[in-house]
């Protein structure tokens, strides 16, 4: 069942807010867009919890950028395209890599305190898939917190920015393929309408669709689902990245152990103490994430265990604590001293590679709607994301989208909004299912059947079960976020599963045990799901280089 809106409503009957730019999401992408748009426009940023509850805030490892004289744009571009496994769109890759250094320098000017060597130069880490140490980081392993705090301070200083926290956006309101704003809800106001001349979707990822995830509970793919219902194209939704190393302690939330720990020489061992990664890939622990995740799953199956171990015992306790204070703290809480005991780890859903298709300015195929950050598909990651490339993508495209909103509204006066009426929905007489029960079961189903390894019959089974739940849940009208989130999760789980079923090959993060080879002849293309259609269209990968690219290193702003 594909209803256009989750709720029936009449805009005339609801309280209304008007703004120039409505930004749905207050993570790095939304905040960077807000900083750009607020130069001349009124901006309203919405987040469904407090602003600090975002994937951004939990980011650990760092931000990839070419900042050292002996590094080069060419190297970062080629590393990104290699990991993207044939689906990376070169113009997006070149744009992010080339504009990355300026975004980092700007953050430093705005007060972001990145880690430095004792001589004052920026400290760089190396992560899997990168051929150079080009990851800037902050507070050891709390880059996201520093980044979020810096951007929140910048945005809060702008008089033209308003922020509404604890506010849930249900749907984008459209008329004739144009977004007019959104339908929102919070405890104080109930339902209300926000009219925005431009809307920027910065709603983050989809990790919460999976039982095992590094993402906070906000990551329920709401933005993907509302864009989908509004008619936007969703691209390559089968591409979900799993992080190889989250702390595995039964019953506890899964805390990420950053790739940077492997960058510092940590080794993966099984329960017998055997270092297994060299058996699977020449880059061993620094192989691309999908390879490491699958290797861990294979070794777990071989040794019949629920987890493997990350051995950091070559790093002294003082050094570990100084470089990875957050991870150290979590380990100690569970009685594990990483300098003395290997850390139990297991892969988890981490990053939504697929998303709302957009161009190099963040514009989607629905007029006046932009998508940025993890909700978007710019073409940077292709079939897999290179470590630490998402924060930089969000910074680059957040700024671009915000600036384009400014440029395209310049000189235009606010149009009069026509009243919008969303058709009444006939009350359903079908049985009610328990929301919490389906929520947990859906996440387990996605983990088992549409997770790290996929196979046709199990994807079909997952779709059948999701369709069954959808039959009883997508026909209901809920009045609280838990119900709306579950409806979004059902729609996007169905789409991810269907997309994984359609792509009959193995590429990047998408691993089909029944089609274990990459098949460029049939599948070197994007899969576009347009306007709620059930069948995707294939679209070509863009491999054209942007002409003016400067292949030298960044500004060398290592100051
Ligand atoms: C544990 C962890 C570690 C990571 N480490 C790194 C790293 O080292 N380097 C790197 O490059 N990337 C890393 N990533 C990925 C990176 O953090 C994210 O891709 C990036 O932060 C996404 O930013 P965003 O602004 O798109 O979304 P988010 O930061 O997730 O923000 C989403 C926003 O949307 C809001 N929202 C969502 N739905 C609604 C709704 N219905 N109504 C209202 N508001 C809504 C949320 O409230 C939130 O404000 C990591 C991710 C995780 C989870």
């Amino acid at each position: 069942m594909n209803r256009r809106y989750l709720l029936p409503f009449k805009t005339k009957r609801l309280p209304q807010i008007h703004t120039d730019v409505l930004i749905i999401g207050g993570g790095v992408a939304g905040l960077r867009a807000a900083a750009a748009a607020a130069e001349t426009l009124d901006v309203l940023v919405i987040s469904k919890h407090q602003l600090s509850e975002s994937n951004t805030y939990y980011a650990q490892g760092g931000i990839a950028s070419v900042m050292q004289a002996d590094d080069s744009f060419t190297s970062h571009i080629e590393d990104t395209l290699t990991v993207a496994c044939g689906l990376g769109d070169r113009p997006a890759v070149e744009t992010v890599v080339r504009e990355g250094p300026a975004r980092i320098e700007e953050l430093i000017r705005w007060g972001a305190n990145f880690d430095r060597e004792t001589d004052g130069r920026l400290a760089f880490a190396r992560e899997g898939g990168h051929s150079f140490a080009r990851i800037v980081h902050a507070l050891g392993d709390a880059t996201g917190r520093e980044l979020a705090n810096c951007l929140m301070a910048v945005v809060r200083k702008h008089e033209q920015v308003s922020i509404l926290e604890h506010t849930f956006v249900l749907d984008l309101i459209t008329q004739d393929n144009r977004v007019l704003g959104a339908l929102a809800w919070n405890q104080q106001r109930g339902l209300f309408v926000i009219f925005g001349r431009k809307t920027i979707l910065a709603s983050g990822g989809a990790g919460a669709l999976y039982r095992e995830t590094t993402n906070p509970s906000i990551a329920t793919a709401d933005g993907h689902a509302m864009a989908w219902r509004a008619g936007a194209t969703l691209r390559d939704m089968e591409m979900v990245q799993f992080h190889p190393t989250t702390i595995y302690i039964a019953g506890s939330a899964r805390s990420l152990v950053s790739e940077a720990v492997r960058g510092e020489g940590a080794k993966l061992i099984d329960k017998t103490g055997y270092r297994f990664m060299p058996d699977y890939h020449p880059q061993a622990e620094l192989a691309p994430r999908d390879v490491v995740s699958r290797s861990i799953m294979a070794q777990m199956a071989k040794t019949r265990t629920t987890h493997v171990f990350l051995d950091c015992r070559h790093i002294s306790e003082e050094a570990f604590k100084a470089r990875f204070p957050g991870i150290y703290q979590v380990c100690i809480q569970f009685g594990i001293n990483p300098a003395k005991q290997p850390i139990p780890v297991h892969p988890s859903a981490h990053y939504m590679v697929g998303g709302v298709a957009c161009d190099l300015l963040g514009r989607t195929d629905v007029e006046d709607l932009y998508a940025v950050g993890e909700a978007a598909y710019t073409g940077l990651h292709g079939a897999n994301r290179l470590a630490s490339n998402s924060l930089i993508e969000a910074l680059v495209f957040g700024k671009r989208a915000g600036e384009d909103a400014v440029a395209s509204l310049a000189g235009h006066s606010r149009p009069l909004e026509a009243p919008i009426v969303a058709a009444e929905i006939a009350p359903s007489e079908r049985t009610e299912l328990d929301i919490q029960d389906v929520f947990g079961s859906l996440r387990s189903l996605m983990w088992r059947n549409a997770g790290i390894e996929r196979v046709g019959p199990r994807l079909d089974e997952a779709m059948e079960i999701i369709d069954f739940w959808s039959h009883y849940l997508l026909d209901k009208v809920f009045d609280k976020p838990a119900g709306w989130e579950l409806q979004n999760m059902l729609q996007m789980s169905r789409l991810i599963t269907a997309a994984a079923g359609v792509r009959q090959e193995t590429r990047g993060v998408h691993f089909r045990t029944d089609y274990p080879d990459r098949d460029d002849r049939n599948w070197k293309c994007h899969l576009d799901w347009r306007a709620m259609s059930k069948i995707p269209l294939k679209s070509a990968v863009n491999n054209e280089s942007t002409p003016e690219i400067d292949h030298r290193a960044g500004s060398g702003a290592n100051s």
Side-chain angles (χ1 to χ4, degrees):
M1 165 179 285
N2 283 327
R3 259 184 353 219
R4 168 64 190 90
Y5 293 103
L6 294 180
L7 277 179
F9 64 91
K10 293 182 175 144
T11 53
K12 262 175 43 180
R13 297 261 172 89
L14 293 172
Q16 300 181 1
I17 297 178
H18 293 260
T19 185
D20 292 321
V21 182
L22 165 63
I23 300 183
I24 303 168
V28 53
L31 292 174
R32 187 61 193 83
E39 291 297 329
T40 57
L41 300 173
D42 287 336
V43 175
L44 175 60
V45 178
I46 308 276
S47 74
K48 68 176 172 179
H49 287 263
Q50 70 269 23
L51 212 48
S52 56
E53 189 61 4
S54 62
N55 278 7
T56 299
Y57 203 81
Y58 292 96
Q60 289 185 350
I63 314 177
S65 185
V66 175
M67 307 282 288
Q68 301 192 81
D70 40 355
D71 193 1
S72 71
F73 287 157
T74 309
S75 164
H76 191 185
I77 289 167
E78 291 314 318
D79 287 347
T80 302
L81 287 170
T82 302
V83 171
C85 295
L87 292 198
D89 288 317
R90 192 173 269 275
V93 177
E94 293 183 349
T95 300
V96 170
V97 168
R98 197 166 44 189
E99 294 182 10
R103 298 289 70 76
I104 303 287
E105 285 162 23
E106 167 184 89
L107 286 170
I108 294 171
R109 279 199 309 279
W110 288 344
N113 202 359
F114 292 114
D115 295 335
R116 290 178 182 269
E117 304 290 356
T118 43
D119 62 5
R121 287 179 309 125
L122 280 177
F124 294 92
R126 184 171 170 195
E127 294 188 338
H130 286 278
S131 38
F132 204 85
R134 61 169 71 101
I135 319 296
V136 293
H137 46 86
L139 309 168
D141 56 4
T143 307
R145 182 157 28 114
E146 180 66 12
L147 178 61
N149 285 337
C150 170
L151 287 172
M152 283 191 265
V154 167
V155 165
R156 283 196 160 116
K157 268 192 225 141
H158 267 287
E159 275 180 12
Q160 289 184 233
V161 180
S162 312
I163 298 172
L164 264 182
E165 295 173 272
H166 302 285
T167 298
F168 190 94
V169 175
L170 289 87
D171 263 310
L172 299 165
I173 299 174
T174 50
Q175 192 175 46
D176 303 330
N177 196 42
R178 187 163 83 87
V179 168
L180 305 180
L183 181 67
W185 176 94
N186 65 27
Q187 200 77 48
Q188 300 77 40
R189 299 170 196 243
L191 277 180
F192 59 102
V193 173
I194 306 161
F195 283 113
R197 298 163 73 196
K198 298 280 178 188
T199 298
I200 300 181
L201 193 61
S203 49
L209 270 50
Y210 288 86
R211 189 188 72 210
E212 306 289 340
T213 182
T214 62
N215 290 191
S217 61
I218 55 135
T220 50
D222 300 337
H224 296 83
M226 65 182 93
W228 167 244
R229 289 191 293 273
T233 294
L234 266 55
R235 181 165 290 166
D236 294 344
M237 291 295 284
E238 66 280 21
M239 300 301 177
V240 179
Q241 186 180 60
F242 296 85
H243 196 287
T245 52
T246 45
I247 299 181
Y248 185 79
I249 293 165
S252 80
R254 303 287 179 252
S255 281
L256 184 74
V257 182
S258 159
E259 192 131 1
V261 179
R262 276 175 283 131
E264 297 288 334
K267 305 284 182 273
L268 282 161
I269 56 174
D270 65 18
K271 68 172 181 187
T272 68
Y274 177 65
R275 183 184 170 212
F276 55 88
M277 274 312 299
D279 297 350
Y280 294 94
H281 196 277
Q283 281 176 286
E285 282 81 4
L286 291 181
R289 285 180 180 178
D290 59 301
V291 176
V292 182
S293 292
R294 282 200 305 279
S295 308
I296 292 175
M297 296 302 275
Q299 198 66 16
M300 278 163 39
K302 232 188 233 179
T303 52
R304 295 171 191 271
T305 44
T306 52
H307 55 278
V308 295
F309 296 90
L310 192 63
D311 189 353
C312 318
R313 287 176 292 182
H314 66 291
I315 310 176
S316 73
E317 188 170 350
E318 291 67 40
F320 195 98
K321 201 170 163 181
R323 175 69 181 87
F324 306 111
I327 301 169
Y328 177 81
Q329 213 45 53
V330 175
C331 289
I332 291 296
Q333 274 166 18
F334 288 106
I336 299 160
N337 180 342
K340 297 201 170 119
Q341 292 149 281
I343 307 169
V345 291
H346 181 290
S348 291
H350 184 54
Y351 183 82
M352 187 63 213
V353 179
V356 184
C358 64
D359 66 11
L360 294 180
L361 295 172
R363 295 176 302 197
T364 71
D365 52 4
V366 178
E367 225 176 300
D368 294 338
L369 177 68
Y370 298 83
V372 289
E374 198 167 334
Y377 188 98
T378 62
L380 173 72
H381 310 302
N384 197 358
R385 177 182 71 111
L386 182 63
S388 288
N389 257 1
S390 43
L391 295 173
I392 197 69
E393 179 194 40
L395 287 165
V396 167
F397 279 95
K399 175 172 188 285
R400 284 180 153 245
E403 286 180 348
D404 190 69
V406 170
S408 55
L409 288 180
H412 295 277
S413 56
R414 196 187 295 268
L416 290 174
E417 282 95 11
I420 306 293
V421 176
E424 283 296 330
I425 297 164
S428 164
E429 289 175 2
R430 286 190 210 123
T431 308
E432 297 241 346
L433 297 182
D434 183 78
I435 293 183
Q436 273 316 315
D437 191 38
V438 177
F439 175 79
S441 304
L442 175 65
R443 298 175 77 219
S444 295
L445 178 72
M446 288 298 286
W447 178 249
R448 281 195 316 270
N449 289 35
I452 295 171
E453 291 187 355
R454 293 141 176 204
V455 62
R458 289 179 76 78
L459 291 167
D460 292 342
E461 180 195 51
M463 279 190 281
E464 231 176 79
I465 298 172
I466 295 170
D467 285 345
F468 176 82
W469 288 327
S470 300
H471 189 66
Y472 292 95
L473 280 158
L474 293 186
D475 65 334
K476 302 288 183 300
V477 173
F478 291 101
D479 59 359
K480 291 281 173 329
W484 303 322
E485 280 180 342
L486 181 58
Q487 290 178 317
N488 290 334
M489 288 169 71
L490 281 166
Q491 285 190 322
M492 291 305 100
S493 296
R494 179 64 167 79
L495 194 54
I496 290 170
T497 312
V502 169
R503 189 179 283 280
Q504 295 183 334
E505 65 157 353
T506 286
R507 184 187 294 273
V509 294
H510 173 64
F511 187 79
R512 288 279 303 249
T513 53
D514 46 352
Y515 296 96
D517 299 320
R518 176 165 151 175
D519 174 2
D520 276 355
R521 201 160 62 88
N522 291 305
W523 297 108
K524 194 173 178 213
C525 59
H526 299 300
L527 287 183
D528 288 350
W529 300 78
R530 293 217 167 105
M532 293 202 271
S533 67
K534 291 221 153 145
I535 300 165
L537 296 175
K538 290 181 174 183
S539 70
V541 174
N542 187 346
N543 203 23
E544 273 177 32
S545 191
T546 18
E548 75 278 24
I549 186 158
D550 173 359
H551 289 273
R552 284 170 303 119
S555 61
N558 198 352
S559 53

